[in-house]
Each structure stands twice: as C-alpha cells, then as structure tokens.
C-alpha cells in the first residue's frame, strides 16, 4: 500500500482503519521525529532500592505512555554491591506485537553492570518497530549507584517538544524578534 488516509470518516459498522502505528506517525511528526520526556515527568529517589516517577510521560518513536495525574509509578532498583559502582537506566520500552499479541509499552529499569571504576550506562535496544517482537528503548533517566546507595538521578531524555524543532513560538516583547520563523506570533 503506497498511501493510507488517516483522518477520514468511517461509517458505523465498518472495520476501524486507524491503528496505533497511525497515531504514532502523527505524534512523531508533531514532535519532530524524536523520542523523550513529555510534560513534567520527574524521577526521585524513595530509598536505595526505589525510584518514583510522576507528572508526565514519554514518547517512544511516537508511541505515548504517561503516568496519569495524581498517580505515581515506583520502580525497584536491584541492590548495589559494596565497593562497586553502577548506572541503571529508567527507560521507556516499547515491544511491537502482531497477530494476536498486543504491543507493550512500559517504563522500566534497565540494569547496568557493576564495576570498580567509572560505570557506563547499559546500551538501549534500538528498532524502527516494523515487525512483531521488535524492541525499542528510550533512556529517560540515569540512576547512579555507589556501593549500595543511590547517589544520583539525572535526566537524559530530551524534553518534548523541543524548541529547536522549528515549531512556531509566541513572543511578548516591544519589537519583532531578531530571528522569527514562519508561524511565530509576537505581541507588543
């Protein structure tokens, strides 16, 4: 099929023609084709084996996942080892389904490797999600462990939408912006 109409009327009783990948295409186009953090997603340490996420969500190749308002998601971090360091990743993981198997999309911990020196974050599985069983992971936060203690949490996922993606902006100032783009609006 060379083309597919998405926003068209479908009579009641007809087979639905919109699929998750159609919505993901729209989201990718609106977000500039990038994956990352949506809204005010935060990740905080609860204790040395737990982190808590709230206030937003993630886009993984346009597939959206969020933590509903007023709720939190707690994830368990495996205990660290005395004398060793590790970086775990809080990641959005999308697994493509197919046939009778549903897609899955979840935020989970990807455990790093403990080392005596400076640890590296584990590699993220990358896929275009074209076939059943394909996995794509997007790093959202790094959780650093020194020995048995969580010593830091740092955001690595890009906040979306980005300001450098060419999207229109609203300026409130006395004069025209120095570098306006098509669609920008300024008020004075």
């Amino acid at each position: 099929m060379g083309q597919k109409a998405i926003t068209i009327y479908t009579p009641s009783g007809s087979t639905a023609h919109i699929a998750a990948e159609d919505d993901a295409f729209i989201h990718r186009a609106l977000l500039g084709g990038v994956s990352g953090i949506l809204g005010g997603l935060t990740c905080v340490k609860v204790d040395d084996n737990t982190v808590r996420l709230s206030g937003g969500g993630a886009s993984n190749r346009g597939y959206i996942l969020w933590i509903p308002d007023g709720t939190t998601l707690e994830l368990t971090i495996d205990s660290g080892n005395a004398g060793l360091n590790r970086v775990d990743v809080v990641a959005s993981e999308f697994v493509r389904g197919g046939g009778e198997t549903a897609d899955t999309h979840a935020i989970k911990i990807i455990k790093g490797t403990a080392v005596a020196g400076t640890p590296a974050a584990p590699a993220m599985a990358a896929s275009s999600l074209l076939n059943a069983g394909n996995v794509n992971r997007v790093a959202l936060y790094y959780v650093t462990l020194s020995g048995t203690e969580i010593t830091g949490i740092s955001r690595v996922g890009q906040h979306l939408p980005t300001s450098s993606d060419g999207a229109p902006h609203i300026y409130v100032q006395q004069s025209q912006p120095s570098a306006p783009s098509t669609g920008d609006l300024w008020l004075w």
Side-chain angles (χ1 to χ4, degrees):
M1 175 187 333
Q3 61 183 324
K4 182 178 183 181
I6 297 173
T7 54
I8 59 172
Y9 169 73
T10 304
S12 61
S14 297
T15 302
H17 70 280
I18 302 298
E21 57 266 16
D22 298 319
D23 286 337
F25 161 75
I26 294 168
H27 296 141
R28 271 194 313 277
L30 294 173
L31 295 172
V34 294
S35 298
I37 294 173
L38 297 169
L41 185 68
T42 60
C43 181
V44 296
K45 174 182 171 179
V46 174
D47 58 39
D48 287 325
N49 293 102
T50 312
V51 295
R52 178 180 297 135
L53 289 96
S54 63
S59 173
N60 185 328
R61 296 195 49 76
Y63 295 93
I64 305 295
L65 166 70
W66 78 302
I67 299 167
D69 293 338
T71 66
T72 60
L73 172 66
E74 289 191 356
L75 299 173
T76 301
I77 302 286
D78 286 350
S79 294
N81 303 90
L84 298 177
N85 304 306
R86 190 176 83 219
V87 173
D88 290 354
V89 178
V90 176
S92 160
E93 180 184 78
F94 189 92
V95 180
R96 179 67 182 246
E100 295 299 313
T101 303
D103 296 336
T104 61
H105 191 183
I107 296 175
K108 52 179 44 180
I109 299 295
I110 309 302
K111 185 177 176 180
T113 302
V115 297
T118 304
M124 294 292 97
S127 167
S128 295
L129 299 174
L130 298 176
N131 301 304
N134 286 168
V135 176
N136 196 68
R137 291 181 178 148
V138 175
L140 305 173
Y141 291 92
Y142 286 168
V143 178
T144 304
L145 289 94
S146 295
T148 60
E149 181 182 354
I150 292 177
T151 57
I153 298 174
S154 57
R155 180 182 60 83
V156 294
Q158 184 173 11
H159 273 285
L160 302 175
T162 63
S163 59
S164 62
D165 62 4
H169 298 85
I170 296 175
Y171 298 90
V172 179
Q173 57 193 51
Q174 297 274 330
S175 61
Q176 178 178 342
S178 59
S181 298
T182 301
D184 283 355
L185 173 68
W186 63 90
L187 307 171
W188 61 95

